[in-house]
Amino acid sequence: MTDFRMKKTDDVIIKSFVDLVIENGFDNVTVKDIALKSMISRKTFYLHYEDKFALTDAILQDILTWLDETLKKKRLLINQGIGLSNAVGQLEPELRQLLMCWSRPINAIMTIP
């Protein structure tokens, strides 16, 4: 089971990284910047991630895992004979999560060359 403090620190690191990438561009973001914005030490950052590239990979993996799970749920609904419009209606919570949770990280990742 994941330690709540570790999860909370991860969330803060990811949010800070996404904000910094959107504001300054990926190439201009350093681990020091991420740590300062997250109000953690660089050592704490390195306990979670090897570098900003590993952090980017972790965010991408989270997005891809979420997308894969959502598409599996859509496929299951359609295989049960549920029409596409009804399936989309039943996927409303996932679509809301896309808009609320994933839009900024996706926007940040899309700016990385």
Side-chain angles (χ1 to χ4, degrees):
M1 181 153 93
T2 304
D3 182 344
F4 176 74
R5 293 170 297 165
M6 294 287 285
K7 173 70 173 126
K8 188 173 178 181
T9 301
D10 255 359
D11 291 347
V12 169
I13 291 170
I14 290 169
K15 182 183 181 327
S16 296
F17 173 72
V18 166
D19 290 346
L20 288 166
V21 168
I22 289 172
E23 292 168 16
N24 305 319
F26 180 79
D27 291 337
N28 298 318
V29 175
T30 65
V31 170
K32 181 179 179 181
D33 297 332
I34 298 166
L36 284 171
K37 187 163 182 76
S38 300
M39 294 189 283
I40 60 170
S41 68
R42 288 177 66 204
K43 180 179 178 181
T44 299
F45 176 90
Y46 287 118
L47 289 172
H48 290 257
Y49 301 99
E50 184 177 323
D51 54 25
K52 70 179 185 177
F53 299 98
L55 173 54
T56 302
D57 288 344
I59 293 169
L60 277 170
Q61 187 59 53
D62 286 347
I63 292 168
L64 292 174
T65 298
W66 172 85
L67 181 60
D68 184 54
E69 290 171 3
T70 302
L71 291 175
K72 283 178 184 174
K73 185 174 178 182
K74 180 190 86 64
R75 189 176 329 119
L76 179 65
L77 291 170
I78 290 173
N79 287 343
Q80 292 174 352
I82 297 173
L84 182 60
S85 62
N86 287 337
V88 169
Q90 290 188 30
L91 292 170
E92 184 179 347
E94 287 82 0
L95 297 173
R96 286 186 188 280
Q97 184 180 12
L98 172 64
L99 294 174
M100 293 175 60
C101 300
W102 294 113
S103 62
R104 284 185 61 78
I106 291 170
N107 287 339
I109 297 296
M110 295 298 291
T111 67
I112 300 172

